[in-house]
Amino acid sequence: MRPNARPAGLLAVALLALAALALPASGETARRHHALSLLGPPAKGPDFDHFDWVDPDAPKGGMVRMFDFGTFDSLNPFTTRGNPAEGLGLVFDTLMTSSPDEPSTEYCLVCEWVSYPDDFSSVTFGLREGARFHDGKPITPEDVIFSLEGMKKADPQYAFYYKNVVGAERTGEREVTFRFDQKGNRELPLIVGQITVLPKHYWGGKGADGETRDLMKTTMEPPLGSGPYRIKGFEAGRWISYERVADYWAKDLAVSKGQWNFDEVRYVYFRDRVPAFEAFKSGQLDMWQETSANAWATQYDVEAVRSGLIRKEALPHKRVAPMQSFAFNTRRKQFQDPRVRRAFNLAYDFDSANKSLFYGAYTRVGSYFDNSELAARGLPEGRELEILNEVKDGLPAEVFTTEWKNPTAQTSNDHRNNMREAMKLLAAAGWTHKNGVLVDAAGEPLAAEFLLVQPDFERVVLPYVEDLKKLGIQASARVVDSSQYKRRVDGFDFDLIVHSVQQSHSPGNEQRNYWGADAADREGSRNVIGIKSPAIDKLIDRIVYAKDRADLVAATRALDRALLWSHYVVPQWHYPFDRIASWDMFGRPAKLPSQSASFLRTWWVDPTKAAALAPKRTN
């Protein structure tokens, strides 16, 4: 399943939490559920009062200012066009809401109950009486139907994610039923619960320019939603502020108590990390989520940290580690041979980078589902081996004979050996040296441009570029602004990019958008690599149609192994903590959720701390 639909951006990770399903006994009437989970019974029953990872009495108030990178030119997050502003997910509600302490679990929010037949051929939601948009109009089945149809049309990611949802109809006064083109897909009721609910009357009306609003187009008109926040103000490309909706319709529900406590959430945009971090240290920003191990180790030796005015914390989490990597565009001729791609991995000296740049803080990613039971281990056996044998002819032979591992270079001699092995692979793939440059049979050089959007990532890429040049590869790095970067990635106009794929504990339909052939040529899809493999498509289907958890784990490990041995990426690293620095003005629950720090959702401004801190801050 994909990440949850209420994005909180670069600073607060909004993870996908999926809903768990227990099959009704054969012939049993479909039951109404308050929550769904793919990993067992939900932690909370239908009569719970609040989650135990919140403080239900948390005070409301205050403002938090955070950093976002780049710029924005649209307030419509449901189309691939333009650069949407950060935090727009705060404006909207979804049918169900995730629990960041329960992987693969969702609870009813806009819906009051959810039901499905025992063959999973449809799902029905009963909408809550009192659920309403910010203009006071009630949320209706027609709004939910419009939302599905409109988002599938506006964004290919939604089209792929909901491709098996083929119909939706009003089946009661506050009831909507979605019908599927298949049976037995246990995930479909859950992912339908993630649908963002949009107001049909708003999008069917006219905007300030007198034109009918269009979900497929960019706009700078603040959208109408039903969520805990609305847009308060903005300056295009510089900042955007969201204000808490005091009479938010869901504020007293058990699934909302103790959450969304800040009166105002402001994102301030910078085009470079350096001035942004200086703004944080000088008090112009309140919270900072650090992504650099080097910066975490070296750039916080300032008086505000030493005196305790700024709290510096590494908060543990139990998320599936994302596959962060240098991703190849296999649409490019030079990257179509897996031997070339494997040579690039051999040339990457992660161990030296980890020591010299990251203070040894990182663990190298060794799986597309690292840090979870879904990661492939050892050699395939049992159910996993049976699944792989069904597509054996379409997979590299090593899938069955060799455990996949990243190359290591504990010493400089190890790295030289890796470089020699890379040279052998490149030669076997038909590349020869001519005047110190690798060329193919037609005399075309082996070129590789790393397209970057963050200047501070150059320090990671440039040593790698130098090693690739030693092999005769015409390697380079290019930094572009965020708007150009998005256009080029959406249009697959790049050689290599730094790419991260965040997985959930219950993968499913979203895998088609990540690795499926149908997504490879669709602009804006997540299959940036351009994978077109019948074998991988069949493995994805095995995940989507998994009959139980054991089957899902076996199919996911099989997919993991197939992806790894195809050498589509050069894996980078992961870190099992969220690094958060914040001015000491916040309160938070005694227990944080296991999957994220959930800063915007569960923290609050402590009035006493804020008052004591105010005269000590520079700004």
Side-chain angles (χ1 to χ4, degrees), residues 222-240:
L224 175 66
S226 63
Y229 289 86
R230 60 166 63 94
I231 293 175
K232 179 180 181 180
F234 64 91
E235 185 176 344
R238 296 181 62 87
W239 60 270
I240 184 167

Side-chain angles (χ1 to χ4, degrees), residues 33-243:
H33 305 266
H34 74 290
L36 300 173
S37 172
L38 285 169
L39 298 181
K44 299 297 183 181
D47 298 323
F48 80 104
D49 182 70
H50 63 272
F51 291 117
D52 57 5
W53 40 266
V54 304
D55 181 339
D57 300 317
K60 309 290 186 184
M63 178 174 73
V64 59
R65 300 166 298 174
M66 300 183 295
F67 154 65
D68 197 35
F69 181 80
T71 186
F72 69 92
D73 58 14
S74 178
L75 301 180
N76 176 10
F78 303 106
T79 178
T80 58
R81 301 174 184 177
N83 255 347
E86 189 62 35
L88 285 167
L90 297 170
V91 176
F92 305 98
D93 279 325
T94 48
L95 283 170
M96 305 183 78
T97 186
S98 67
S99 168
D101 196 46
E102 300 174 68
S104 305
T105 303
E106 292 181 354
Y107 290 79
C108 279
L109 176 59
V110 170
C111 67
E112 185 175 11
W113 54 263
V114 54
S115 68
Y116 49 88
D118 57 4
D119 64 358
F120 296 94
S121 59
S122 66
V123 64
T124 299
F125 295 89
L127 305 185
R128 287 189 194 271
E129 185 173 7
R132 65 182 186 273
F133 295 106
H134 295 154
D135 64 357
K137 293 186 181 296
I139 296 174
T140 68
E142 286 75 18
D143 294 311
V144 178
I145 295 168
F146 165 79
S147 301
L148 173 71
E149 294 174 347
M151 289 190 296
K152 286 179 70 174
K153 184 179 179 182
D155 190 326
Q157 293 194 52
Y158 292 111
F160 277 101
Y161 199 52
Y162 294 115
K163 67 177 293 186
N164 298 120
V165 184
V166 294
E169 59 184 304
R170 181 186 186 123
T171 50
E173 182 182 357
R174 292 194 305 274
E175 193 174 288
V176 58
T177 297
F178 298 85
R179 308 204 180 278
F180 310 144
D181 64 358
Q182 55 187 231
K183 298 178 181 179
N185 186 336
R186 301 170 65 249
E187 187 188 42
L188 283 176
L190 303 142
I191 68 173
V192 173
Q194 296 173 344
I195 290 175
T196 301
V197 181
L198 305 176
K200 181 179 180 181
H201 66 278
Y202 173 84
W203 287 101
K206 295 184 182 299
D209 59 2
E211 299 293 325
T212 301
R213 299 183 181 96
D214 188 342
L215 200 62
M216 296 184 68
K217 295 181 179 179
T218 63
T219 179
M220 294 304 289
E221 180 181 12
L224 175 66
S226 63
Y229 289 86
R230 60 166 63 94
I231 293 175
K232 179 180 181 180
F234 64 91
E235 185 176 344
R238 296 181 62 87
W239 60 270
I240 184 167
S241 282
Y242 301 88
E243 62 180 353

Side-chain angles (χ1 to χ4, degrees), residues 78 149 159 184 222 234 266 358 442 476 556 566 571 589:
F78 303 106
E149 294 174 347
F234 64 91
R266 173 172 291 209
F358 310 136
S476 62
T556 304
S566 296

